[in-house]
Amino acid sequence: MSSGNAFNDAWGDPQNQKQAPIDMAELRHYRQGRGAPAATLDSATLQARRLTLTWSDSRTGQFPLMWLRDHCACDQCRHPMTRERLYKLLDDPLWERFASDDALESFEFDAHSLTLAWRDGHVSRFDAGWLYQRCPGQELATLLPTATPWAETFTPDHIVHADFVGEGDGRSRWVRALLRDGLVMLDQGPCELEEVSRIAESIGPMRSTNFGGRFDVRSVPNPNNAAYTAIGLELHTDLPNWRQPPDIQLLYCLENDAEGGESSFADGFAVAEILRAENPDAFRVLSETLIDFRFQDDGHDIAVREPVIDLDEAGRPREIRFNNWIRDTLSLSADQIEAWYDAYRAFWQILRRPEQRVELTLEPGQMVAFDNRRVLHGRNAFDPNTGKRHLQGTYLDLDMLQSHLRVLSR
Ligand SMILES: [Fe+2]
């Protein structure tokens, strides 16, 4: 077994520093100087089937040999075109030997790389910055902003359409605001049919529902949905009757000169937290009780049983389902029914507080985007006899929005 330190001394020679960069089959920056860690590799020691690595900023981490073998990025272990894993640990004849130091023939390192020679002749090379980012026990820094509840003074960010479609950072500012606040405005766009589809498709495929891939919001004869009437719409989330409701909604305004029709929004996560603080029993009832949501028309009967407030493992709100039109029969025991109605009214009362709402009048050429599983939306009634009101909308998956930001960050 070669000593790591002996190699370090040899590779520390400036003559040997100009090495070809190691391709880790990874599109996110991991090399020094490209938004990746600046720390260099200081030491590597092998003990008890793990390599302990230390970087110049004192970060240290233990890398099990089996992990290192599994993450080899050579052309045989990672497909050079798809970057997907080819290595199959179940078929590795060395696998049993990873339980001791015996699987490794030798290793060497310098400031920027680590090279492992395995007993079967395979050689794995790692970029030190890539290992730094993925050091076991350290969370890989996320490129995504965390969702931040609205304060009472919250106003959404506005991005100008020309900046969104231009070369600058307008697009990533728009995505960041949407991920952080769950609501963002796009201003001064063209009043063109399907502009909302072009914007959506520049991010990902439109998420289709029983209302199609792209929908028009205006009053129509014989509507199958309250949105297609002129009546006011209480704050709600769309399609809570789906197992996975649409994540992101885009609403693009083409005409809005009818009287009324102002839009309103509320942060469902913030409202849920207020309910938890003011009325813990109501919060518990809405987060623990599954109720039925359902939409029915001639061709559909889409139903699901879920809570109004869905919590994650840490007890934080993860999703709000609130849509009074498509709440189905409340199918609970008599005791539960009374407690649930009380809790539902308490949540709804907080939603109606003016300080919880952002109100705005959409202008032609303006688009609002919001996280439909967090932010509730509604509108005032409008008078279709005083002018036209026409919005075009579609949905996007959150995965596509997050993907878009990661790609923009490259
Ligand atoms: Fe809606």
Side-chain angles (χ1 to χ4, degrees):
M1 180 73 56
S2 307
S3 145
N5 284 333
F7 274 104
N8 191 28
D9 291 344
W11 290 21
D13 180 347
Q15 297 259 296
N16 291 322
Q17 297 253 320
K18 288 254 180 331
Q19 302 219 14
I22 298 167
D23 182 0
M24 297 303 295
E26 162 65 52
L27 291 174
R28 184 175 173 178
H29 295 325
Y30 54 88
R31 269 177 216 141
Q32 260 190 309
R34 298 190 65 210
T40 52
L41 190 55
D42 262 3
S43 73
T45 48
L46 177 65
Q47 195 180 23
R49 66 189 188 278
R50 293 171 184 171
L51 267 180
T52 300
L53 305 184
T54 308
W55 285 266
S56 55
D57 66 351
S58 303
R59 175 176 287 190
T60 182
Q62 292 189 333
F63 291 76
L65 290 182
M66 55 179 66
W67 186 97
L68 289 162
R69 182 64 192 88
D70 184 41
H71 291 82
C72 180
C74 80
D75 284 2
Q76 292 141 54
C77 294
R78 286 242 156 203
H79 193 285
M81 305 305 291
T82 69
R83 302 182 180 82
E84 293 166 326
R85 178 177 285 103
L86 299 173
Y87 170 75
K88 292 184 271 190
L89 58 89
L90 196 61
D91 295 338
D92 189 339
L94 274 186
W95 189 261
E96 305 298 327
R97 295 164 80 176
F98 290 122
S100 71
D101 298 344
D102 182 44
L104 201 55
E105 175 80 32
S106 65
F107 69 98
E108 54 194 33
F109 72 96
D110 66 7
H112 304 294
S113 71
L114 171 73
T115 302
L116 308 178
W118 303 100
R119 289 277 184 209
D120 60 358
H122 196 82
V123 173
S124 301
R125 297 189 71 216
F126 294 92
D127 181 277
W130 186 93
L131 288 168
Y132 180 95
Q133 286 177 329
R134 289 156 186 78
C135 187
Q138 302 274 351
E139 229 166 274
L140 185 61
T142 176
L143 298 169
L144 308 174
T146 41
T148 309
W150 298 358
E152 283 183 13
T153 53
F154 171 77
T155 53
D157 280 5
H158 289 250
I159 312 295
V160 174
H161 183 277
D163 292 338
F164 180 89
V165 297
E167 295 290 306
D169 66 348
R171 188 176 276 267
S172 69
R173 283 190 290 122
W174 181 88
V175 178
R176 286 183 175 282
L178 182 48
L179 292 172
R180 182 189 64 225
D181 301 329
L183 176 69
V184 65
M185 308 298 299
L186 193 68
D187 295 351
Q188 299 168 41
C191 289
E192 286 171 15
L193 288 169
E194 300 301 340
E195 179 61 13
V196 72
S197 309
R198 285 186 283 276
I199 290 171
E201 283 171 342
S202 74
I203 297 168
M206 293 186 282
R207 158 81 190 271
S208 292
T209 73
N210 52 303
F211 297 107
R214 210 269 299 129
F215 50 88
D216 287 275
V217 183
R218 56 183 157 192
S219 58
V220 298
N222 306 316
N224 69 345
N225 179 304
Y228 304 151
T229 67
I231 63 171
L233 302 178
E234 190 87 30
L235 285 172
H236 64 282
T237 61
D238 278 3
L239 304 177
N241 57 309
W242 284 61
R243 202 168 51 80
Q244 168 152 337
D247 293 322
I248 303 297
Q249 180 164 179
L250 309 180
L251 277 177
Y252 198 101
C253 178
L254 293 166
E255 289 176 292
N256 196 10
D257 49 23
E259 261 168 43
E262 299 85 2
S263 303
S264 53
F265 301 90
D267 180 0
F269 290 178
V271 168
E273 290 300 348
I274 292 169
L275 182 70
R276 177 174 6 218
E278 292 183 358
N279 191 339
D281 284 343
F283 180 87
R284 189 180 44 72
V285 167
L286 291 188
S287 58
E288 292 179 1
T289 312
L290 308 188
I291 64 156
D292 292 295
F293 298 91
R294 181 166 172 229
F295 170 89
Q296 45 185 326
D297 67 6
D298 288 345
H300 305 93
D301 193 332
I302 309 166
V304 79
R305 192 169 169 87
E306 293 285 351
V308 171
I309 303 172
D310 184 38
L311 304 179
D312 68 13
E313 312 74 40
R316 292 173 299 231
R318 167 166 54 196
E319 168 158 28
I320 305 295
R321 291 178 193 254
F322 188 94
N323 186 321
N324 203 50
W325 302 282
I326 59 172
R327 241 181 350 98
D328 199 16
T329 308
L330 189 61
S331 177
L332 300 168
S333 73
D335 284 350
Q336 283 179 305
I337 284 171
E338 288 153 358
W340 189 88
Y341 280 128
D342 284 343
Y344 189 65
R345 280 177 56 86
F347 183 83
W348 199 340
Q349 278 164 349
I350 299 171
L351 267 183
R352 284 220 182 140
R353 291 180 189 166
E355 67 269 24
Q356 296 307 321
R357 306 162 79 105
V358 166
E359 299 228 0
L360 48 96
T361 301
L362 285 173
E363 314 214 335
Q366 195 173 40
M367 185 184 82
V368 57
F370 54 92
D371 180 346
N372 177 59
R373 298 171 79 176
R374 166 184 172 187
V375 169
L376 296 89
H377 63 287
R379 65 139 199 258
N380 293 338
F382 62 96
D383 181 352
N385 300 315
T386 57
K388 288 184 175 159
R389 187 178 191 276
H390 182 198
L391 311 181
Q392 289 195 313
T394 188
Y395 302 113
L396 277 172
D397 286 322
L398 181 61
D399 304 76
M400 289 294 100
L401 196 69
Q402 295 180 342
S403 160
H404 199 53
L405 186 58
R406 292 191 191 103
V407 171
L408 292 170
S409 305
R410 280 178 194 162

